[in-house]
Amino acid sequence: MVERQLRRRGIPDDRVLAAMERVPRELFVPDSVRPYAYADDALPIGQGQTISQPFVVATICSLLALDGSERVLDVGTGSGYQAAVLAELAAEVVTIERLQELAETARAALAAAGYPNVEVRVGDGSLGVEERAPFDAIAVAAATPTVPPALYEQLAVGGRIVVPRGSRDGQKLVLVVRTVDGPVEHAVLPVRFVPLLGDEGFGET
Ligand code: SAM
């Protein structure tokens, strides 16, 4: 997976490649799709949700440019896989999922894989996790019509947020850096994510 799907496609960051080599992706997928755990695709994890394609996880993690010292917010825990990769790359990860059942499964998988530096929360991640802010980096793993203002506010100055921004049918993965003069944006890649619901996402809960 790392050689064919990531390195050859230009993921530049050796720390990210090494992290993805270490995380046992098979622990984060249901039994029914375990034979495909390392496939070049998103996979169903139940409740109409998906574990993201490895290339997309690697792209998000590379854009966050982590050095190991950061506190990171991961919005849309899903399987917990991206939180595990982030936990390899940063000091501390807070991850938030709106669906209780997925959060519990992710918590168990993260414990089994050995990531004590991840805190799994249940709630509306479009509002962030104010009491744990500021975050040095934020990864959003669900599509949003705009960069949720609460998430930008919870970012430290100099911090980075990566968000799939667009409509329900298609988005651009966008990197936004919070600077003293305001947000600086770079659109990176067309992507297709499930919607971020909640107050500052697509609205419905
Ligand atoms: N990063 C995940 C992984 O590695 O498995 C994949 C995330 S999946 C593509 C998107 C997740 O976002 C779903 O589990 C969905 O329930 C969750 N989600 C959607 N809206 C949310 C919200 N407002 N707050 C928290 N989680 C939300």
Side-chain angles (χ1 to χ4, degrees):
M1 175 187 88
V2 167
E3 192 50 42
R4 290 196 194 147
Q5 298 174 34
L6 308 183
R7 199 189 301 276
R8 279 192 211 164
R9 280 197 202 138
I11 296 294
D13 185 333
D14 284 337
R15 284 190 79 237
V16 171
L17 297 172
M20 290 189 60
E21 230 159 44
R22 284 193 295 270
V23 177
R25 189 167 158 94
E26 69 278 8
L27 294 187
F28 293 89
V29 298
D31 289 348
S32 55
V33 294
R34 194 147 296 152
Y36 313 107
Y38 291 89
D40 187 12
D41 224 334
L43 297 170
I45 55 172
Q47 314 255 322
Q49 305 302 328
T50 53
I51 178 174
S52 308
Q53 182 190 17
F55 179 72
V56 172
V57 174
T59 302
I60 291 173
C61 291
S62 295
L63 290 170
L64 292 177
L66 301 166
D67 67 16
S69 64
E70 300 87 353
R71 178 188 300 158
V72 181
L73 177 63
D74 173 51
V75 177
T77 311
S79 68
Y81 176 74
Q82 181 162 289
V85 177
L86 291 168
E88 290 274 356
L89 295 167
E92 196 185 343
V93 179
V94 178
T95 182
I96 182 161
E97 169 58 52
R98 60 183 278 276
L99 299 173
Q100 170 107 29
E101 204 173 300
L102 285 184
E104 279 166 18
T105 307
R107 201 176 277 129
L110 286 158
Y115 292 103
N117 56 338
V118 182
E119 178 191 348
V120 180
R121 294 194 167 214
V122 177
D124 180 2
S126 76
L127 301 175
V129 180
E130 194 160 12
E131 68 266 33
R132 304 287 270 109
F135 296 98
D136 304 298
I138 302 179
V140 183
T144 69
T146 58
V147 176
L151 297 185
Y152 183 77
E153 284 306 313
Q154 290 173 29
L155 204 56
V157 172
R160 295 171 160 239
I161 177 169
V162 177
V163 182
R165 186 179 62 193
S167 70
R168 282 170 176 265
D169 297 329
Q171 310 90 36
K172 279 262 169 68
L173 198 62
V174 175
L175 165 67
V176 180
V177 183
R178 182 172 183 168
T179 75
V180 283
D181 300 320
V184 176
E185 282 192 26
H186 313 265
V188 181
L189 184 77
V191 285
R192 189 164 178 164
F193 275 83
V194 296
L196 183 77
L197 302 179
D199 284 357
E200 293 193 8
F202 279 100
E204 314 101 276
T205 50

